[in-house]
Amino acid sequence: MTTLPPGSTIGILGGGQLGKMLAIAAAQMGYRCHIYAPEENSIAAEVAAEFTCAPYDDVAALSAFADSCDVITYEFENVPVAPLRVIEAGTPIRPNIRALEIAQDRVEEKLFASRLGGKTAPFEIVGERQDASAAFERVGFPAILKTIRMGYDGKGQGRVGEPRDISEAWAQVGRQPSIAEAMIHFDAEFSVILTRGTNGEIRFWDSPRNRHEGGILAHSTLPAGPLIEDQQAEARKLAAAAAEELEYVGVMTMEFFATANGPLFNEMAPRVHNSGHWTIEGSATSQFENHIRAVCDLPLGATDLTADRVEMENLIGDDANDWERLFADDDANVHLYGKGAPSPGRKMGHVTRLYR
């Protein structure tokens, strides 16, 4: 591949905060960004050179978008794959489409991790309501019903504490094909965030300890503590194997549970990730800059911590209304995404604090 020089155009599928932070990083490096998203009000488009507002399955619009770009990446893994196959022959898509296919399907994702030696929670496929009772009997109670496709931030899930909860959970997931997944005991949650270049080089950031509230990431802390640090090497081995198997280019995140029996794989995100937002101030090179470096075939940047301790807090819903106090805090690196009025469960921004 030929290295893309500054001045080239990077296409980004998706118009949310991840696309916005990618576009900001790209602009600082001298690249132009073209955002493609179906929503008219795109916060990523506000900081980009070009914007196409069209559905993801509009092949004509996608083709015109691709013709204007030197490389295409994405900030959102639920982009339909079939239309992308039409444009990938003319414009490279990084990470590749295979990574999208796996991340879009919980069953494929778990089987993929298992083939590479990873451990997952026990699960059973549920195709119809009548399948669910037998599936939950096999995995045991309590458990979670999760849609096979289109689930994120706690969406598309229903908890099942006992058999009588199954019907309500089935309704919560929209009566879609799902999996019944055993709820496992874990001591902590963490993520492995890596970037892989076109030459196969892989660099890791230190794993943060993550805390979720209502299925949404609320807080990430580094160092993550002895328990996670002892399991980091094994988790990294799986993440590296996945990146190699996929011939991956860009930033990839894998989420894990730290358990008494070692790291248990939960989910893969083929993109920059909320648990890596702290890297903007807390790392020598942010996840956003390293993603741009990777997809443009530039040398990868260093991933060392810039402080002894780093904490990242998500601003969810009304948390963003506290902006005056946050901006008055000398220790707070405040990022507000510009989404307008807060609503419950909506990621409105984040704050990173460094302690030296």
Side-chain angles (χ1 to χ4, degrees):
M1 150 169 193
T2 303
T3 299
L4 294 180
S8 301
T9 298
I10 302 166
I12 300 175
L13 296 166
Q17 65 265 22
L18 299 180
K20 183 173 187 176
M21 288 182 273
L22 281 170
I24 290 170
Q28 290 175 333
M29 300 166 67
Y31 291 92
R32 303 173 74 256
C33 284
H34 185 163
I35 303 297
Y36 187 106
E39 302 85 14
E40 290 184 8
N41 297 319
S42 164
I43 57 173
E46 294 172 359
V47 298
E50 296 182 71
F51 175 43
T52 294
C53 181
Y56 287 125
D57 59 359
D58 186 333
V59 175
L62 268 177
S63 297
F65 162 76
D67 288 344
S68 75
C69 300
D70 297 293
V71 67
I72 294 170
T73 190
Y74 44 88
E75 59 114 55
F76 176 64
E77 64 263 42
N78 286 323
V79 178
V81 166
L84 300 186
R85 296 208 180 281
V86 178
I87 63 173
E88 68 173 337
T91 307
I93 300 174
R94 301 191 179 107
N96 60 40
I97 290 176
R98 179 61 180 144
L100 269 183
E101 288 180 311
I102 290 173
Q104 288 176 0
D105 188 306
R106 290 190 194 275
V107 175
E108 281 297 312
E109 186 179 57
K110 290 179 181 295
L111 295 177
F112 177 67
S114 296
R115 286 196 298 271
L116 295 174
K119 294 175 286 188
T120 73
F123 72 96
E124 294 284 340
I125 297 173
V126 177
E128 301 288 345
R129 167 63 184 87
Q130 54 265 37
D131 299 340
S133 295
F136 279 104
E137 289 296 334
R138 288 192 291 271
V139 301
F141 299 94
I144 307 177
L145 188 67
K146 298 180 177 181
T147 56
I148 290 177
R149 303 182 70 85
M150 300 296 285
Y152 62 96
D153 283 349
K155 298 178 177 66
Q157 299 186 18
R159 295 203 171 202
V160 178
E162 52 188 338
R164 67 181 182 181
D165 298 332
I166 294 175
S167 292
E168 182 180 349
W170 182 244
Q172 283 180 320
V173 302
R175 299 173 174 82
Q176 301 177 60
S178 302
I179 61 170
E181 181 180 279
M183 288 184 68
I184 51 93
H185 174 77
F186 60 90
D187 298 300
E189 298 174 84
F190 70 100
S191 48
V192 170
I193 311 167
L194 64 79
T195 185
R196 184 177 184 272
T198 57
N199 63 355
E201 180 189 4
I202 291 176
R203 294 195 179 189
F204 294 95
W205 284 270
D206 286 0
S207 287
R209 176 186 288 261
N210 299 324
R211 177 171 55 82
H212 290 76
E213 295 177 0
I216 302 173
L217 180 67
H219 201 264
S220 293
T221 306
L222 298 102
L227 173 66
I228 290 171
E229 289 164 2
D230 288 346
Q231 299 189 15
Q232 180 177 262
E234 185 177 345
R236 281 182 173 183
K237 182 178 179 182
L238 175 63
E244 294 287 354
E245 177 70 18
L246 293 170
E247 298 182 342
Y248 195 93
V249 175
V251 169
M252 181 178 77
T253 305
M254 279 192 166
E255 294 183 89
F256 292 87
F257 300 118
T259 76
N261 297 315
L264 194 71
F265 169 76
N266 183 33
E267 292 182 348
M268 179 181 86
R271 53 170 171 79
V272 291
H273 193 260
N274 194 176
S275 67
H277 288 359
W278 60 269
T279 62
I280 297 173
E281 291 87 16
S283 174
T285 310
S286 77
Q287 64 168 344
F288 302 100
E289 179 179 335
N290 255 342
H291 188 81
I292 298 299
R293 283 173 175 258
V295 302
C296 292
D297 192 35
L298 295 170
L300 301 179
T303 55
D304 309 85
L305 293 177
T306 59
D308 296 327
R309 182 176 177 83
V310 181
E311 294 183 1
M312 190 280 293
E313 174 191 2
N314 262 345
L315 301 176
I316 300 169
D318 288 338
D319 293 346
N321 290 335
D322 206 17
W323 55 269
E324 287 186 279
R325 180 187 65 81
L326 292 171
F327 281 126
D329 182 351
D330 289 342
D331 293 326
N333 296 281
V334 184
H335 298 257
L336 295 177
Y337 304 146
K339 289 184 173 180
S343 59
R346 193 179 194 194
K347 294 175 182 175
M348 303 298 295
H350 71 271
V351 177
T352 302
R353 293 179 171 86
L354 310 181
Y355 302 97
R356 296 180 172 88

